[in-house]
Amino acid sequence: MAEECTNILSATKMLEVRFSEVDSMNIVWHGSYALYFEDAREAFGQKYGLGYLDIFGNGYYAPLVDLSFQYKRPIVYGMKPQITVYYRATPAAKIIFDYEIHDSADGSLLATGHSVQVFLDKNYNLVWTNPEFYEQWKQRWKVQ
């Protein structure tokens, strides 16, 4: 019987909406969400030791192969939302994250999202099994 995931790993980061991120309607441009999700992944990597340099230092790349957003309410200039990223455990050789962006003023849900990263070796070949360092990372954080 497979061991059940015993840990929910997450990281939260405050965002500050910059003028350059909004469109003519004063609403955050859709392309900025990808950057917000990137900021969340970097915060997660720093907190748990699974940053891009950690992955690269172990001989791999981890490109995004799936990225989606669901907009619930507009984010506008001047807001200070917070983004939380959640690691989703999987036995596959993938890193899967879910995201929530909330308005820090009232806690309302502004957006959700999802991303999937795979592993490539240094020759850009897809890696079909979990790299050893990633298996060790999963064991360390009890997210098998």
Side-chain angles (χ1 to χ4, degrees), residues 8 10 24 28-30 50 62 72 81 84 86-87 90 100 138:
I8 297 174
S10 66
S24 61
V28 168
W29 175 65
H30 65 275
L50 191 64
K72 307 298 183 184
T84 302
Y86 300 93
Y87 175 81
T90 177
E100 291 181 356
K138 289 165 71 170

Side-chain angles (χ1 to χ4, degrees), residues 19-85:
F19 182 74
S20 62
E21 297 168 345
V22 300
D23 60 20
S24 61
M25 297 176 285
N26 203 35
I27 296 173
V28 168
W29 175 65
H30 65 275
S32 295
Y33 286 79
L35 298 174
Y36 296 160
F37 287 17
E38 180 78 20
D39 288 344
R41 285 192 304 277
E42 286 185 356
F44 183 93
Q46 289 172 354
K47 183 175 180 179
Y48 294 104
L50 191 64
Y52 290 114
L53 291 178
D54 299 306
I55 295 167
F56 183 77
N58 280 285
Y60 297 90
Y61 301 111
L64 284 169
V65 295
D66 185 21
L67 182 63
S68 63
F69 319 113
Q70 295 78 43
Y71 308 101
K72 307 298 183 184
R73 278 192 38 218
I75 300 176
V76 297
Y77 180 65
M79 289 179 90
K80 294 189 184 335
Q82 66 179 25
I83 185 167
T84 302
V85 58

Side-chain angles (χ1 to χ4, degrees), residues 3 9 29 40-41 48 68 78 88 100 122 128 133 141:
E3 184 178 322
L9 304 183
W29 175 65
R41 285 192 304 277
Y48 294 104
S68 63
R88 187 189 301 180
E100 291 181 356
K122 292 291 176 100
W128 291 95
F133 86 92
W141 294 104

Side-chain angles (χ1 to χ4, degrees), residues 62-68 94-95 115-120 126:
L64 284 169
V65 295
D66 185 21
L67 182 63
S68 63
K94 297 178 180 181
I95 304 171
S115 69
V116 178
Q117 294 167 264
V118 296
F119 292 100
L120 300 180
L126 182 62

